[in-house]
Amino acid sequence: MPPSVSPGSAPAPAPSPSPGGTIYSHPASLLWALLMLSSASYGLHETRLLPALLGSRLINGAALTASLLSSLSLLTMKIYLENVRAPMYKEKLRYETHRPQTHAAMALLLLSSAAFVAALWPKYGFSSLLYAAMVGYGVLFQ
């Protein structure tokens, strides 16, 4: 018996391993994220969406600004939670421990997507739903 344990007590539990790692720890997850980002970026390049966003008078500027602001807020929150807070406090990001942040991220993603569709709708109609999915899931969410 180790000298630090008294005869009548149970040994102390082993320290839990550090949570470390991200959702991209597994190579297949990283490959999938890179594939989605690459295919969405290529699709947006082929459709010439960025020049249309910058130069078309049919694009709703106020909705586009709201979409960009909510997207930047979401990215800032994601960077803080994954790259600053998790390593600093040695915690794993889970819904149970980060409910307010999860709900804020979902609200920002919904606002960003809805505003982006509203900005593109006058020019692209139903195609704006596809473009919003490519930007939201393929670029912003990855």
Side-chain angles (χ1 to χ4, degrees):
M1 184 181 312
S4 63
V5 178
S6 62
S9 67
S16 62
S18 118
T22 66
I23 62 169
Y24 301 121
S25 296
H26 195 273
S29 298
L30 181 61
L31 183 64
W32 177 255
L34 289 174
L35 178 69
M36 293 305 295
L37 179 64
S38 301
S39 61
S41 298
Y42 179 73
L44 292 171
H45 173 72
E46 285 298 312
T47 57
R48 311 259 189 268
L49 186 66
L50 186 60
L53 286 176
L54 297 176
S56 177
R57 292 182 175 264
L58 294 176
I59 302 294
N60 185 344
L64 185 63
T65 302
S67 175
L68 289 173
L69 285 175
S70 59
S71 297
L72 287 175
S73 300
L74 177 64
L75 287 174
T76 302
M77 188 173 72
K78 182 179 175 185
I79 288 170
Y80 169 73
L81 286 174
E82 290 180 358
N83 298 334
V84 177
R85 184 180 170 125
M88 183 185 306
Y89 294 113
K90 306 254 188 290
E91 62 188 7
K92 193 167 192 168
L93 296 177
R94 295 189 340 247
Y95 175 74
E96 293 82 20
T97 59
H98 294 84
R99 283 185 188 187
Q101 294 89 345
T102 303
H103 295 163
M106 289 190 304
L108 285 171
L109 189 61
L110 179 66
L111 175 66
S112 175
S113 299
F116 195 66
V117 169
L120 295 181
W121 193 267
K123 181 171 175 72
Y124 293 107
F126 281 105
S127 297
S128 62
L129 296 172
L130 175 66
Y131 298 146
M134 288 169 66
V135 170
Y137 184 73
V139 178
L140 185 63
F141 198 62
Q142 297 306 321

